[in-house]
Amino acid sequence: MRIAIGADHAGFDLKQHLLTYLRHMGHDVIDAGTHSDDPVDYPDYAEALSQAVLDGRAERGVLICGSGVGASVAANKIPGIRAGLCHDTYAARQGVEHDDMNVLVLGARVIGIALAHELVNNFLAANFCGEERHRRRVKKILALEKRYGKPGSGV
């Protein structure tokens, strides 16, 4: 599978580890950055990873920041991205099967390497089930993107 992986500085070490792990598992991996542990802004890497998924260079993405929250919020602002912050294997699998999640978000300061492996494995092994109720719900998500596609209010 073609996978994009990206992280901010807080997720850099886990990203490097998962990059090697995914390649060892036989996946074609695109490194969307960052390329050091120097402080950076997570929205930049959420955008770079998301663009790789949206333009078809990657089938799915794995995005990492310190808690996973900021990266998840940023990725979900991009139409077509359905990012889920997961710290348990059930959510990593079910997010794909029911919600057609295409980006797994991890909190590097929250989980360890062994759990990260399990989360990635469950995320990548899962497929959207395509049941009518789940297709209907994903269509509603897409409709929300169209309806509220304006920039959010903020600082």
Side-chain angles (χ1 to χ4, degrees):
M1 185 180 290
R2 290 183 327 270
I3 304 160
I5 188 167
D8 70 356
H9 57 284
F12 174 73
D13 288 339
L14 182 57
K15 178 190 73 101
Q16 292 303 106
H17 178 81
L18 288 175
L19 186 79
T20 301
Y21 176 73
L22 289 165
R23 286 183 174 149
H24 177 76
M25 298 298 290
H27 298 288
D28 180 17
V29 185
I30 298 166
D31 186 347
T34 188
H35 302 290
S36 76
D37 60 4
D38 295 335
V40 295
D41 297 332
Y42 58 81
D44 298 334
Y45 299 93
E47 181 179 20
L49 178 137
S50 296
Q51 192 58 55
V53 171
L54 292 173
D55 69 19
R57 288 180 289 136
E59 297 167 66
R60 295 194 189 161
V62 176
L63 184 59
I64 310 161
C65 73
S67 69
V69 175
S72 179
V73 169
N76 279 307
K77 293 294 184 180
I78 300 170
I81 295 300
R82 289 173 301 283
L85 172 58
C86 299
H87 294 139
D88 65 85
T89 57
Y90 173 78
R93 179 182 46 79
Q94 186 269 337
V96 176
E97 291 175 347
H98 293 186
D99 308 312
D100 203 18
M101 180 173 75
N102 53 11
V103 173
L104 172 67
V105 185
L106 303 174
R109 294 177 176 156
V110 179
I111 63 168
I113 290 172
L115 180 54
H117 286 182
E118 291 300 314
L119 294 168
V120 167
N121 291 341
N122 277 266
F123 171 65
L124 296 178
N127 293 299
F128 182 57
C129 72
E131 291 177 16
E132 189 281 327
R133 65 187 170 124
H134 299 301
R135 286 193 324 269
R136 182 181 70 244
R137 292 167 185 165
V138 171
K139 285 180 184 176
K140 287 183 177 188
I141 293 169
L142 298 174
L144 288 171
E145 287 180 349
K146 288 181 182 178
R147 191 175 317 132
Y148 295 99
K150 303 172 191 170
S153 62
V155 183

